[in-house]
Amino acid sequence: MADATSPRRAGELIARLDLTNLGDDCREADVAALCERAETPFGPVAAICIWPDFVAFARRELSGRIKVATVVNFPLGGADVDATLAETRKAVSDGADEIDLVVAYDRVATDPGFVEAQVRTIKAACGPARLKTILETGRLYDEATIRAACRAALAGGADFLKTSTGKVEVNATPASATILLEEIAKAGGTVGFKPAGGIRTFEDADGYMRLAETICGLDYPTPERFRLGASGVLADLLAVAGGTERPGGKAGY
């Protein structure tokens, strides 16, 4: 529950938010509205996350304080590396600061080496952009497979491990987040972490940041290493930060 320290914490969470619109009906006007929302009264969010078609537009709209993230191989995580390379190169050329790649998660159980090679190939095409790898943990089903996905992505050079696309039945959960953070800690604690999907309230967001602090250390979840993938949670964070009436946790991804 929110308490006297919550407004400060809500402000910290806003600064770590990847404000997202990956709706199938997203249009340029929606991206313009997202860019406007991203500059909040309590400071800017960390990034907006949008479809590749809107990267160049968003780059022009934003002040430069807010990063532009986009998705590739999304949402199904196929195995066509050449197509994903083309998507990545175009996004980087258009001005993307961060690439959120859905790995070929269906291959993890039988061929984790494919995923490692896929990540390494896309990472090489990112240039200055950072690579977040979406593992789709809700489709990996067991701990051993989730850990294998983490290790493949880390071995391939991922800059972030991200739980989910937000497009399946089970997205971020504390259990899956714990596994990703444990693997990040084992690898030295420098790779970033991004839970995504199902983050609806201040308490949800705060819970993931506390988990990151517990597993990887209090100094770990900086905005460069910890992100929250969500859309509607911003309204609740703004209410807590400003001490105003909360909207009731009705947000979605």
Side-chain angles (χ1 to χ4, degrees):
M1 296 294 292
D3 59 24
T5 65
S6 296
R8 175 185 56 80
R9 185 70 160 191
E12 293 173 353
L13 292 166
I14 290 167
R16 289 157 174 80
L17 181 62
D18 281 5
L19 188 62
T20 300
N21 189 334
L22 295 171
D24 293 337
D25 59 349
C26 183
R27 298 293 182 267
E28 192 172 274
D30 301 310
V31 176
L34 195 76
C35 292
E36 186 173 347
R37 289 178 62 215
E39 292 275 10
T40 87
F42 302 97
V45 302
I48 63 166
C49 187
I50 52 176
W51 292 109
D53 287 349
F54 302 119
V55 167
F57 171 78
R59 181 79 283 154
R60 294 191 299 269
E61 287 286 298
L62 289 171
S63 65
R65 290 200 299 163
I66 299 170
K67 298 183 186 303
V68 176
T70 193
V71 292
V72 299
N73 207 29
F74 187 94
L76 299 179
D80 188 339
V81 176
D82 288 341
T84 307
L85 269 173
E87 281 187 292
T88 302
R89 288 169 177 152
K90 176 66 162 58
V92 172
S93 175
D94 284 347
D97 300 295
E98 299 173 352
I99 301 295
D100 287 31
L101 161 73
V102 186
V103 305
Y105 55 86
D106 285 345
R107 300 283 289 268
V108 171
T110 58
D111 189 8
F114 179 89
V115 174
E116 178 182 338
Q118 178 189 40
V119 172
R120 183 177 293 110
T121 300
I122 302 307
K123 171 66 177 173
C126 283
R130 300 176 79 198
L131 179 63
K132 304 193 196 91
T133 49
I134 305 173
L135 307 183
E136 202 67 291
T137 53
R139 289 285 174 86
L140 297 179
Y141 302 115
D142 64 75
E143 179 177 336
T145 309
I146 296 173
R147 290 192 186 277
C150 293
R151 291 166 186 167
L154 291 168
D159 296 306
F160 264 78
L161 298 184
K162 176 178 171 180
T163 58
S164 337
T165 60
K167 298 287 189 178
V168 297
E169 296 81 5
V170 178
N171 294 289
T173 66
S176 62
T178 296
I179 295 169
L180 270 59
L181 286 163
E182 286 174 350
E183 292 300 322
I184 289 168
K186 289 177 188 175
T190 59
V191 170
F193 168 66
K194 178 178 173 178
I199 301 170
R200 296 180 171 86
T201 65
F202 165 80
E203 287 79 11
D204 293 337
D206 185 48
Y208 284 114
M209 189 161 163
R210 289 181 186 277
L211 195 61
E213 290 169 337
T214 299
I215 295 172
C216 293
L218 289 174
D219 61 346
Y220 169 78
T222 65
E224 288 300 303
R225 281 196 300 238
F226 178 83
R227 299 287 180 80
L228 298 157
S231 55
V233 74
L234 179 59
D236 199 44
L237 295 179
L238 290 171
V240 174
T244 59
E245 184 177 353
R246 298 172 65 181
K250 301 298 185 184
Y253 187 55

